[in-house]
Amino acid sequence: MSFITVIQLYVFVLAAFVGFMVITRVPPLLHTPLMSATNAISGISLVGSLVAAGSGTHRISNILGCIAVACAMINVVGGFVITDRMLKMFRRKPDGARGGSATP
Amino acid sequence: MSFITVIQLYVFVLAAFVGFMVITRVPPLLHTPLMSATNAISGISLVGSLVAAGSGTHRISNILGCIAVACAMINVVGGFVITDRMLKMFRRKPDGARGGSATP
Amino acid sequence: MSLRDLMIQAAYLAASVFFILGLKSLSHPDKARRGMNQAAIGMLLAIVGTLANSGIVTYQWIIVGLIIGTLVGIPLGTKVPMTAMPQQIAISHGFGALAATLVGVNEWMVNGYGAGIDRGTMTALGFETLFGALTVTGSLMAFGKLQELLPGKPITWPLQNATSLGLLAAALGLFGWLIVNPANPVAFWAMCGVALLIGVLFVLPIGGADMPVVVSLLNSYAGLAAAATGFAIGNNVLIIAGALNGASGFLLSILMSKAMNRSFANVIFGAFGGETAGPAATSATGLSVRSVSPEDAAVQLAFASRVIVVPGYGLAVAQAQHVVQELAEQIEKRGGEVKYAIHPVAGRMPGHMNVLLAEANIPYDKLLDMDEINPLFDHCDVALVVGANDVVNPAARTDPSSPIYGMPILNVDKARSVIVLKRSMNAGFAGIDNALFYEPKTAMLFGDAKASLSRLVAEIKSL
Amino acid sequence: MSLRDLMIQAAYLAASVFFILGLKSLSHPDKARRGMNQAAIGMLLAIVGTLANSGIVTYQWIIVGLIIGTLVGIPLGTKVPMTAMPQQIAISHGFGALAATLVGVNEWMVNGYGAGIDRGTMTALGFETLFGALTVTGSLMAFGKLQELLPGKPITWPLQNATSLGLLAAALGLFGWLIVNPANPVAFWAMCGVALLIGVLFVLPIGGADMPVVVSLLNSYAGLAAAATGFAIGNNVLIIAGALNGASGFLLSILMSKAMNRSFANVIFGAFGGETAGPAATSATGLSVRSVSPEDAAVQLAFASRVIVVPGYGLAVAQAQHVVQELAEQIEKRGGEVKYAIHPVAGRMPGHMNVLLAEANIPYDKLLDMDEINPLFDHCDVALVVGANDVVNPAARTDPSSPIYGMPILNVDKARSVIVLKRSMNAGFAGIDNALFYEPKTAMLFGDAKASLSRLVAEIKSL
Ligand SMILES: NC(=O)c1ccc[n+]([C@@H]2O[C@H](COP(=O)([O-])OP(=O)(O)OC[C@H]3O[C@@H](n4cnc5c(N)ncnc54)[C@H](OP(=O)(O)O)[C@@H]3O)[C@@H](O)[C@H]2O)c1
Ligand SMILES: NC(=O)c1ccc[n+]([C@@H]2O[C@H](COP(=O)([O-])OP(=O)(O)OC[C@H]3O[C@@H](n4cnc5c(N)ncnc54)[C@H](OP(=O)(O)O)[C@@H]3O)[C@@H](O)[C@H]2O)c1
């Protein structure tokens, strides 16, 4: 195990702490958007996929990488779009368009 | 800047996040113990001091290190002892010894 | 470190911070949208940073991949109805995990089929492919069950737990073998195969209604796979994003199990929650049910001054969120007050009801959590239960032999009168009878929730 | 990496986790003590891990240092009274910062007086000595002011801000020079000297009562110095502990400034808060004050059914925490109910009142935060103000020209009657008059708080 791996372990542990603390503060109201948000963020595999798809040494890297890029990108695009679509719906007061409701 | 420094920067940023999130959850009730607790933890300089004091190459290291060890140790011992002394005092109900109070 | 590398690292660090801030913003609905935009910018930074990497020499494959991904992702994001959220998330996890797995497999292959890999890296790669592969098939199975392409019932077989444990042991054994000797194609491919199989066999015995817990757990696994990738290729943003996802998925699945009053192990190994289909097990022993006509129910609602709507899974099935809003509008027009009682596990996904009702433009300050709303039932004229069942079952409070005993419920039975909209006397997810339906103050309005609600709206309008 | 190094790293990682868990435990008083024990174990692990370091060859200096430190630390921890907490913490920061500074100086010296140091390391070392040195003198000054060895008044001089800025620029210039050329003894020692001077001149113009904000800020600097040490010697536990301290100190000083309704910059550069000594500035224009005898006040308290005690800085000065508890006991014996109203900046340190009252064995569920207690003043028979002044000044609500306008206060003026214990009509920390004292419902009981309270206890007992 190299020293770099050790520090990466610190990064992992600290990030997990941050994760636990951040998530425990998300109210149940937003649990579904939370699930799709983490889904979008898990598209970060894109980073590894891009390197593989752009490699100049092996054709197999390009092919596997290309599929991986497509898959990860579905995650990213789909995830962020759908999260935004959901969050857009959460409002404190209904917008003016619906004039019916009696409460001010 | 080496790659190791970069990862250490990640460690710093993540730890600062953890710090902010942890501290914002400490109620005002415990702000004084919090101050003395972080004081105790800042005795972590001990780690650097020990290495200096135990060095086999320079006498100056031994001397400066020895002073540093003493200073940091004051911090550690004093800080943890006083924090514990304070926390010991926080109770939900008074202990049996004081029989006077009317509330059960 | 060259300036270019420094810039790339700065981009990754910024991306990590944006991800954290994004998730942090979800602690409040008003800030959430802006926060998630930040997270999206973080993702963009990570992508741009990676493209600047000197190891990338050819771009056509990348472009093809990005285009395909975008073309599939946009309709997936914009078209999928809110009611189909659980399966959408399930299938997405599958895609993400597939990407991680392929990266791992590729890394192993191009490094001389393991010959050029040290043990530390092999450990990370092994984790990555193991977790990645089982998440791929697991997510597909979960998707199948949620989309009802597969039977929702738990599928069990003899020696089920023994098979699962055996496969798990085999996978770990192969993994260990690979760490000792990374250049071992047999072990590598066998491990991938076994992991794929584990994903299938792990989800098959779990009932369709328990899928959300599984999906959340798979989210956690996908995160761990991404973090392992980070260790393998030395990339911190992968480690951080992976750890965030790992923590989030794990925490949510624990929260869900808790709110269902079941242990995590019971959800995963219990083969419970499949008996949703049949009629209630201990049904109607001499008790009678009072059914009500839409006309009478409409009158009751129209003249109520405090109404609490209790939505449940049936609301999602019937897609009745918009009609419920119309009904509330009618009641409010006549001077009544309408609130919504949201149980933490109503529906089939945490926050399910909130999303549906928000879709129907209902402001979120009318959606009250269980703890907030429960005291209000005492002063409530009509509790309107729309397709909810288990979350209003008083047996959770009173009957120690009930499987849901101890689960906190909505105190609908404290309301002055109760109207229940459902199609039949069938049981809900837990497959048990509900004494609430037999109480004198309860009136049943049978039929599909959407149809019944539309009738109610029409009736109130014509009053 | 050898096995020994791995074990050391594992110890450091565990120590970091224990520190975080320790601070996290402070979110609840019941868990706090166990959590801080964990943090202490973390410190032990860090020490043991370091001692196992192969770079350590001689132990006698270490042992001497550890023994001295322990011998000084134990009495400091056990003997210092709770009322002296602010100065205790101030001086401790000085010690911690001195250790960090000495480590930095030593590192620079033994590496050929900078000759063997690359620029990256020099940056870290520079930060360390800069922050370390100014924290050392700054903490000493703060200690001096709090212990009243130095005049508490802000000490100002012509061109004060210009001098400070000039010194700061000089320090940064020297720092930059060192990064370009680390082997530059002139620059190094000059930087240390300037930093020490900055510490002195930074604290001199700040009033004694503002010291807690300064102490907290210095805590943050000490943390940053420790983190810089971590970067310099490549040690993660230093980086993490330093970042935790940096965040904590920074946040607390912001919170304090906010609760005092002043901007952070105003505290640091405002030279405010020194006029505590003199009588109130805009005093008594035609208004009259009603003073009460201990006998009458005792009768009032004895027959009150709801009493709220409002402690302030005067309680700490008079060390009256134990007598206050005795008084409460007497009132409770006669069937009255006693609660305590804790303003966030009552006293001279965040949480000051809580610690003092906890010392007197008052259970913490009787100590209510401002938000909790304010609605209760409406139904309170007697509000007993013990040495508080600014935190109960209605001018904060009503008078836009007041320096404390906008600061949230305790609504003592809503109580049916008020008894104020203080020695004179002198102003509090903000140096302004208090209209509460002139209200018809307010009765003043002049005298040292401890003496007055003892009288009250005696009177109630003899009733
Ligand atoms: N939210 C989560 O995260 C989550 C995750 C996993 C499991 N669960 C479990 O899911 C359950 C949720 O409780 P719940 O009360 O919301 O639902 P439920 O107990 O499953 O009951 C739903 C009811 O809706 C009725 N229904 C179905 N389709 C309908 C339609 N089209 N129109 C009208 N009614 C319809 C059904 O009765 P009919 O067939 O007679 O119409 C059924 O009794 C809990 O047991 C919980 O533990 C929740
Ligand atoms: N808590 C913090 O973190 C913090 C930090 C910095 C600044 N501050 C500031 O400190 C102030 C705190 O307000 P506060 O109401 O607690 O205190 P205060 O406004 O400073 O008033 C204290 C009062 O106690 C009286 N007193 C002093 N010694 C006494 C004794 N032995 N017996 C009886 N009375 C005595 C004084 O009047 P006599 O002289 O007439 O007796 C004085 O008016 C606020 O302005 C706050 O902004 C707080």
Side-chain angles (χ1 to χ4, degrees):
Chain A
M1 202 144 94
S2 73
F3 188 56
I4 292 195
T5 316
V6 169
I7 323 188
Q8 287 175 333
L9 218 60
Y10 277 89
V11 170
F12 180 76
V13 170
L14 287 170
F17 258 112
V18 172
F20 272 109
M21 282 192 283
V22 168
I23 305 301
T24 44
R25 286 205 207 169
V26 177
L29 177 70
L30 293 180
H31 273 173
T32 300
L34 170 66
M35 282 178 84
S36 76
T38 53
N39 189 222
I41 290 177
S42 81
I44 191 68
S45 314
L46 196 48
V47 166
S49 316
L50 288 173
V51 174
S55 142
T57 46
H58 294 79
R59 175 49 44 99
I60 181 76
S61 289
N62 298 138
I63 298 172
L64 292 181
C66 178
I67 305 176
V69 167
C71 289
M73 196 65 188
I74 294 178
N75 235 349
V76 170
V77 174
F80 278 115
V81 169
I82 214 159
T83 310
D84 191 61
R85 209 175 113 205
M86 274 191 248
L87 291 177
K88 211 159 52 188
M89 301 180 323
F90 283 93
R91 315 191 168 71
R92 197 181 290 276
K93 295 266 162 271
D95 47 7
R98 307 183 79 90
S101 92
T103 43
Chain B
M1 203 144 97
S2 71
F3 187 57
I4 291 196
T5 316
V6 169
I7 322 187
Q8 288 175 333
L9 219 61
Y10 276 88
V11 171
F12 180 76
V13 170
L14 288 170
F17 258 112
V18 173
F20 273 110
M21 284 192 283
V22 168
I23 305 299
T24 45
R25 286 205 207 169
V26 177
L29 177 72
L30 292 180
H31 274 174
T32 301
L34 170 66
M35 283 178 82
S36 75
T38 54
N39 190 223
I41 289 176
S42 80
I44 192 69
S45 315
L46 196 49
V47 166
S49 317
L50 288 174
V51 174
S55 143
T57 48
H58 294 78
R59 176 49 46 98
I60 182 76
S61 289
N62 296 139
I63 298 171
L64 292 181
C66 177
I67 305 176
V69 167
C71 288
M73 196 64 188
I74 293 177
N75 236 352
V76 170
V77 175
F80 278 115
V81 169
I82 215 160
T83 310
D84 191 61
R85 209 175 113 204
M86 274 190 251
L87 292 176
K88 211 159 51 184
M89 301 179 324
F90 284 93
R91 323 196 159 66
R92 197 181 289 277
K93 295 266 164 270
D95 48 8
R98 305 183 81 88
S101 90
T103 42
Chain C
M1 209 175 225
S2 73
L3 187 63
R4 188 203 256 191
D5 285 348
L6 265 185
M7 300 286 290
I8 295 179
Q9 289 298 332
Y12 285 161
L13 184 55
S16 312
V17 171
F18 279 133
F19 289 158
I20 294 173
L21 291 177
L23 290 181
K24 215 169 159 215
S25 76
L26 287 178
S27 59
H28 200 282
D30 290 345
K31 295 182 291 177
R33 221 179 145 199
R34 226 192 37 204
M36 284 316 296
N37 288 344
Q38 286 178 352
I41 291 174
M43 188 58 82
L44 194 67
L45 277 175
I47 295 174
V48 172
T50 309
L51 290 178
N53 189 312
S54 56
I56 293 187
V57 293
T58 150
Y59 285 87
Q60 73 262 35
W61 297 94
I62 292 181
I63 293 170
V64 171
L66 288 178
I67 291 178
I68 296 178
T70 312
L71 288 183
V72 180
I74 288 183
L76 209 65
T78 51
K79 295 275 165 4
V80 173
M82 286 299 147
T83 40
M85 237 359 85
Q87 45 270 50
Q88 202 278 344
I89 291 177
I91 192 88
S92 292
H93 284 326
F95 284 126
L98 183 56
T101 314
L102 290 179
V103 171
V105 169
N106 173 60
E107 194 78 8
W108 179 81
M109 283 170 76
V110 300
N111 281 295
Y113 290 79
I117 295 179
D118 63 48
R119 285 179 186 176
T121 313
M122 191 62 231
T123 311
L125 278 183
F127 262 116
E128 182 184 345
T129 31
L130 199 62
F131 275 114
L134 75 85
T135 306
V136 172
T137 45
S139 299
L140 284 178
M141 296 298 297
F143 172 77
K145 289 208 171 200
L146 286 164
Q147 189 69 17
E148 291 169 16
L149 302 174
L150 294 173
K153 269 208 267 189
I155 297 174
T156 54
W157 56 90
L159 291 180
Q160 174 192 322
N161 283 342
T163 344
S164 302
L165 281 180
L167 280 174
L168 210 63
L172 291 179
L174 291 164
F175 185 14
W177 192 9
L178 269 175
I179 295 177
V180 178
N181 173 22
N184 185 341
V186 177
F188 188 81
W189 298 122
M191 188 182 76
C192 293
V194 172
L196 290 171
L197 199 59
I198 291 179
V200 174
L201 298 187
F202 160 76
V203 178
L204 267 185
I206 304 181
D210 271 337
M211 276 309 120
V213 184
V214 174
V215 170
S216 217
L217 196 64
L218 290 172
N219 182 8
S220 174
Y221 290 168
L224 292 181
T229 316
F231 278 98
I233 67 175
N235 187 311
N236 293 308
V237 72
L238 272 167
I239 298 181
I240 294 175
L244 290 174
N245 278 356
S248 160
F250 187 66
L251 216 65
L252 276 183
S253 42
I254 297 279
L255 285 180
M256 265 189 268
S257 313
K258 252 199 206 151
M260 288 158 60
N261 199 36
R262 290 166 61 194
S263 80
F264 193 55
N266 180 277
V267 171
I268 303 300
F269 303 111
F272 173 79
E275 303 104 281
T276 337
T282 59
S283 178
T285 42
L287 294 160
S288 71
V289 164
R290 180 164 65 93
S291 134
V292 70
S293 71
E295 293 78 13
D296 293 346
V299 171
Q300 218 182 327
L301 285 168
F303 296 104
S305 63
R306 288 203 189 83
V307 176
I308 295 179
V309 176
V310 181
Y313 178 58
L315 177 97
V317 176
Q319 307 226 20
Q321 63 269 38
H322 295 284
V323 217
V324 122
Q325 195 275 341
E326 274 181 57
L327 178 66
E329 215 169 273
Q330 290 304 324
I331 297 173
E332 283 170 345
K333 245 191 195 155
R334 303 182 137 261
E337 185 198 73
V338 181
K339 293 209 167 89
Y340 299 81
I342 313 292
H343 190 278
V345 292
R348 286 292 180 271
M349 194 171 47
H352 202 169
M353 294 298 121
N354 299 294
V355 176
L356 291 180
L357 296 175
E359 190 191 5
N361 244 331
I362 295 168
Y364 65 77
D365 43 5
K366 288 196 185 169
L367 313 181
L368 301 187
D369 277 351
M370 183 164 57
D371 297 335
E372 286 172 285
I373 196 92
N374 262 346
L376 305 183
F377 278 110
D378 293 329
H379 314 287
C380 153
D381 298 317
V382 184
L384 184 68
V385 177
V386 184
N389 191 339
D390 298 339
V391 300
V392 297
N393 192 337
R397 273 204 313 262
T398 54
D399 177 7
S401 71
S402 167
I404 62 167
Y405 182 69
M407 166 168 137
I409 57 157
L410 293 166
N411 297 334
V412 169
D413 51 343
K414 299 269 157 71
R416 292 207 191 105
S417 66
V418 181
I419 301 178
V420 177
L421 308 189
K422 66 198 295 281
R423 296 166 306 182
S424 63
M425 287 306 288
N426 282 353
F429 163 67
I432 52 169
D433 206 11
N434 192 336
L436 176 76
F437 303 158
Y438 304 102
E439 285 212 16
K441 66 164 100 161
T442 305
M444 305 294 292
L445 180 52
F446 289 112
D448 176 76
K450 193 170 181 178
S452 302
L453 286 166
S454 308
R455 273 298 294 278
L456 287 174
V457 172
E459 292 295 339
I460 294 190
K461 273 189 182 154
S462 70
L463 270 181
Chain D
M1 208 172 225
S2 71
L3 187 63
R4 189 203 256 189
D5 285 347
L6 265 185
M7 298 288 288
I8 294 179
Q9 289 297 335
Y12 284 162
L13 184 56
S16 312
V17 171
F18 278 133
F19 290 159
I20 295 173
L21 291 178
L23 290 180
K24 213 166 162 219
S25 75
L26 287 178
S27 59
H28 200 283
D30 289 345
K31 294 182 291 176
R33 221 177 145 201
R34 224 191 38 202
M36 284 315 297
N37 287 344
Q38 286 178 353
I41 291 174
M43 188 58 83
L44 193 68
L45 277 176
I47 295 174
V48 172
T50 309
L51 290 179
N53 189 313
S54 56
I56 292 187
V57 293
T58 148
Y59 285 88
Q60 74 261 37
W61 297 93
I62 293 180
I63 292 170
V64 171
L66 288 179
I67 290 178
I68 297 178
T70 311
L71 288 183
V72 180
I74 287 184
L76 209 66
T78 50
K79 295 275 166 359
V80 173
M82 286 299 147
T83 41
M85 238 357 88
Q87 46 271 50
Q88 201 277 344
I89 291 177
I91 191 88
S92 292
H93 285 326
F95 285 127
L98 183 57
T101 315
L102 290 179
V103 171
V105 169
N106 173 61
E107 194 79 7
W108 179 81
M109 283 170 77
V110 299
N111 283 294
Y113 290 80
I117 295 179
D118 64 48
R119 286 179 185 174
T121 312
M122 190 64 230
T123 313
L125 277 183
F127 263 117
E128 182 183 345
T129 32
L130 201 62
F131 276 114
L134 74 82
T135 306
V136 172
T137 45
S139 299
L140 284 179
M141 297 297 298
F143 172 76
K145 291 209 170 202
L146 286 165
Q147 188 70 17
E148 291 169 17
L149 302 175
L150 294 173
K153 269 208 265 192
I155 297 174
T156 55
W157 57 90
L159 291 179
Q160 176 192 320
N161 283 342
T163 346
S164 302
L165 281 179
L167 280 174
L168 209 63
L172 291 179
L174 290 165
F175 185 15
W177 192 9
L178 267 175
I179 294 177
V180 178
N181 174 18
N184 185 342
V186 177
F188 187 80
W189 297 121
M191 188 183 76
C192 292
V194 172
L196 290 170
L197 200 59
I198 291 179
V200 174
L201 298 186
F202 161 76
V203 178
L204 265 186
I206 304 181
D210 271 337
M211 275 310 119
V213 184
V214 174
V215 171
S216 217
L217 195 65
L218 290 173
N219 183 8
S220 174
Y221 291 167
L224 292 181
T229 317
F231 278 98
I233 66 176
N235 187 312
N236 292 308
V237 72
L238 273 168
I239 298 181
I240 293 175
L244 290 175
N245 277 355
S248 160
F250 187 67
L251 214 67
L252 276 184
S253 42
I254 298 277
L255 285 181
M256 265 190 266
S257 313
K258 252 200 205 149
M260 289 159 60
N261 199 36
R262 290 165 61 193
S263 79
F264 194 54
N266 179 279
V267 171
I268 303 299
F269 302 111
F272 173 79
E275 302 105 283
T276 338
T282 58
S283 175
T285 44
L287 292 162
S288 72
V289 163
R290 180 164 65 92
S291 135
V292 71
S293 71
E295 293 77 13
D296 292 348
V299 172
Q300 219 182 325
L301 286 168
F303 295 105
S305 64
R306 289 204 189 82
V307 176
I308 296 180
V309 175
V310 181
Y313 178 57
L315 177 96
V317 176
Q319 308 225 23
Q321 62 270 35
H322 294 285
V323 218
V324 122
Q325 195 274 340
E326 275 180 56
L327 178 67
E329 215 169 274
Q330 290 303 324
I331 298 173
E332 282 170 343
K333 246 191 194 155
R334 301 179 137 263
E337 184 199 74
V338 181
K339 293 209 167 88
Y340 299 82
I342 311 293
H343 189 279
V345 292
R348 287 292 180 271
M349 194 172 48
H352 202 168
M353 295 298 121
N354 299 296
V355 176
L356 290 181
L357 296 175
E359 191 192 3
N361 245 330
I362 295 167
Y364 65 77
D365 43 5
K366 288 195 185 171
L367 313 181
L368 301 188
D369 277 351
M370 184 165 56
D371 297 334
E372 286 174 284
I373 197 92
N374 262 344
L376 304 184
F377 278 110
D378 294 329
H379 314 288
C380 153
D381 298 315
V382 184
L384 182 67
V385 177
V386 184
N389 189 341
D390 300 338
V391 300
V392 296
N393 192 337
R397 273 203 315 259
T398 55
D399 177 7
S401 70
S402 167
I404 62 166
Y405 182 69
M407 166 167 135
I409 57 157
L410 293 166
N411 296 336
V412 170
D413 51 342
K414 299 269 158 70
R416 295 211 184 102
S417 66
V418 180
I419 301 178
V420 176
L421 306 191
K422 67 198 292 282
R423 295 165 309 184
S424 63
M425 286 306 289
N426 283 353
F429 164 66
I432 53 169
D433 206 11
N434 192 336
L436 176 75
F437 303 157
Y438 305 101
E439 285 211 18
K441 67 165 96 160
T442 305
M444 306 293 291
L445 179 53
F446 290 112
D448 175 76
K450 193 170 180 178
S452 302
L453 287 166
S454 307
R455 273 299 293 280
L456 287 173
V457 172
E459 292 294 341
I460 295 191
K461 274 191 181 154
S462 70
L463 272 179

